[in-house]
Amino acid sequence: MISVTGKFNQILKKVYFILKLRKPFLVLKMLMLTIRTLLYKQRPPFRQIEIQSTLACNLRCTHCSAKNFEINDEMLSFEDYKKISKQAKYHDSPMLSFTGGEPLLDPRLEDIIRLFDTRSMLVSITTNGTLLTFERARRLKLIGVDGFMISLDGSNSQANDMIRGDGVFESVINAIQIAKGLGFFVMIIHTLTHLSIKNNNFNGILNLAQKLDIPLHVSLVSPVGNLANMDLLDDYILSNEDILYLEDCQKKYPFLRRDLDGNYFQRGCPAGVERFVISPYGDVMPCTKIQASFGNIKDEPMIDIRNRMINTKIFDNYPLLCLAAEDDNFLNVYMPRTFNRKDLPIDYNDYFKGSL
């Protein structure tokens, strides 16, 4: 558990960061959330709402986690997004992120973002970077987007493009330069695999992030999507030695981050407790890797669905690891339940059958 003093120091750093983004309403929200959290021991409902606005993508990445989702015509309407916006505002959610697929392919993206109170939210877009032009970035800046999480899987064209496609590395570097030039906060997001560490690719990305002077966020690879096959675990899933190496790198490189940090209460996985994902069709999942639906926002309020998640014993204690990437029991018992399924996400009762 982080001490009160330590947590306040973290909040002060965040306040300074937010002030640089010129969002005073967000600063006030963060201060009030901190007071309620630390002094009155109240659990804030939503630290981050992640919205998959589309599953469409212009790339075919080796480790794509969204590969097996069924695409249909029942996408969330603008009225649905208005409901999400109202609930986010009512519950003082400070963070909103858009992902996919590739969100910049969504023709409705800017109109959806306008439905939210971006003055009091930290708004980011997770993108592969290939579609980010100067003009598009400028428009997104004007409607309140603060930053981009840009995917990168190699520190040069050869290493990156064998996973993501020809010419992608050059597009990513260009997107980073555009975003930084317009004053966005920018972060590289890297899907960390055993091969990435073994082949020294991860070290190259660390050096590149340091050279570019931007943070690096690692997302640990899981057996979902294109990698939904237990036979691939030895090549991709991190070993215990890999995890120890990652921990050593975090001590050495202060700009290296992962999802376990930044929670309201304590260090650990925020999935289903402080953060969740809404699919393009309204299904609410703990994260993009745990492809289990706990309800649909078309049918009930987000707070009810979140409470259903935290009443599941798996998500009520901030595990100090990524369940879908590091926990042997979770990897062997639960993850295979989505293999060869085309009706993703599956109902959480089926996903966690035998443990609820």
Side-chain angles (χ1 to χ4, degrees):
M1 180 75 73
I2 301 173
S3 68
V4 173
T5 301
K7 185 51 95 171
F8 267 119
N9 287 336
Q10 286 186 6
I11 292 297
L12 287 175
K13 291 180 181 179
K14 291 178 181 178
V15 166
Y16 175 71
F17 172 74
I18 295 167
L19 284 173
K20 290 200 300 182
L21 295 175
R22 299 180 181 179
K23 290 202 168 183
F25 291 105
L26 180 54
V27 171
L28 292 175
K29 177 185 286 188
M30 291 299 298
L31 290 174
M32 292 303 298
L33 285 169
T34 302
I35 291 171
R36 294 206 300 265
T37 301
L38 298 179
L39 299 185
Y40 300 104
K41 307 300 181 183
Q42 295 179 4
R43 185 196 294 270
F46 317 123
R47 177 170 59 85
Q48 181 177 5
I49 299 172
E50 185 173 341
I51 294 176
Q52 286 182 308
S53 66
T54 181
L55 294 175
C57 189
N58 58 322
L59 302 183
R60 297 293 180 268
C61 301
T62 304
H63 47 61
C64 176
S65 63
K67 173 66 170 62
N68 292 334
F69 278 87
E70 184 178 20
I71 297 177
N72 59 58
D73 296 327
E74 299 177 2
M75 297 182 71
L76 293 175
S77 66
F78 282 111
E79 288 302 314
D80 293 323
Y81 281 115
K82 286 179 182 178
K83 291 178 182 178
I84 296 172
S85 173
K86 288 179 180 178
Q87 293 175 51
K89 186 172 184 177
Y90 178 80
H91 291 292
D92 288 331
S93 177
M95 298 177 66
L96 175 69
S97 61
F98 290 88
T99 182
E102 171 49 53
L104 295 184
L105 269 179
D106 187 351
R108 306 186 303 166
L109 180 63
E110 290 167 41
D111 291 329
I112 292 171
I113 293 173
R114 289 188 182 95
L115 298 175
F116 290 84
D117 182 14
T118 58
R119 299 173 306 165
S120 63
M121 301 185 83
L122 185 66
V123 183
S124 64
I125 295 174
T126 300
T127 174
N128 61 40
T130 61
L131 303 175
L132 187 64
T133 64
F134 178 86
E135 181 57 32
R136 186 77 184 276
R138 189 186 67 82
R139 293 202 310 268
L140 291 167
K141 185 78 171 178
L142 290 175
I143 62 174
V145 174
D146 301 295
F148 293 98
M149 302 270 288
I150 303 181
S151 299
L152 191 68
D153 286 306
S155 58
N156 54 56
S157 296
Q158 181 179 3
N160 182 78
D161 294 359
M162 67 182 296
I163 297 173
R164 294 191 162 261
D166 292 343
V168 173
F169 179 81
E170 183 177 344
S171 296
V172 168
I173 298 302
N174 183 58
I176 290 172
Q177 292 171 342
I178 289 173
K180 289 187 69 174
L182 287 172
F184 290 95
F185 78 81
V186 183
M187 185 180 293
I188 291 173
I189 181 167
H190 173 60
T191 301
L192 186 60
T193 69
H194 172 68
L195 285 176
S196 182
I197 293 177
K198 179 181 178 181
N199 297 339
N200 210 34
N201 181 46
F202 181 48
N203 285 336
I205 293 177
L206 282 167
N207 292 331
L208 178 62
Q210 190 170 44
K211 179 181 178 181
L212 294 172
D213 191 28
I214 56 178
L216 171 63
H217 179 96
V218 291
S219 174
L220 308 192
V221 71
S222 296
V224 293
N226 277 340
L227 297 181
N229 186 331
M230 297 300 285
D231 294 336
L232 299 174
L233 293 188
D234 289 342
D235 287 335
Y236 288 93
I237 297 295
L238 271 61
S239 66
N240 291 333
E241 291 77 13
D242 294 334
I243 298 299
L244 291 175
Y245 181 69
L246 174 59
E247 292 174 355
D248 288 340
C249 287
Q250 283 192 278
K251 295 173 184 176
K252 182 179 179 180
Y253 300 99
F255 59 83
L256 176 60
R257 307 172 185 178
R258 56 175 303 190
D259 286 339
L260 304 184
D261 306 303
N263 295 325
Y264 286 126
F265 284 90
Q266 63 194 68
R267 189 172 188 269
C269 179
V273 181
E274 295 190 7
R275 193 180 89 176
F276 56 80
V277 180
I278 303 175
S279 82
Y281 313 108
D283 291 299
V284 180
M285 302 171 286
C287 72
T288 56
K289 300 171 184 176
I290 302 176
Q291 297 171 348
S293 175
F294 278 77
N296 194 295
I297 59 93
K298 295 179 182 179
D299 304 323
E300 56 186 325
M302 289 190 295
I303 188 64
D304 292 344
I305 301 173
R306 198 295 300 262
N307 288 342
R308 187 175 299 126
M309 290 182 185
I310 62 175
N311 286 327
T312 304
K313 61 183 180 181
I314 291 175
F315 299 113
D316 68 354
N317 61 354
Y318 292 95
L320 289 171
L321 45 69
C322 174
L323 293 172
E326 299 174 80
D327 185 276
D328 288 339
N329 183 65
F330 203 94
L331 283 166
N332 287 286
V333 175
Y334 301 112
M335 299 300 288
R337 293 179 178 178
T338 61
F339 290 3
N340 302 315
R341 297 285 294 264
K342 298 297 182 181
D343 56 343
L344 298 176
I346 65 175
D347 186 272
Y348 78 102
N349 287 295
D350 293 332
Y351 194 101
F352 295 106
K353 183 168 53 180
S355 64
L356 296 177

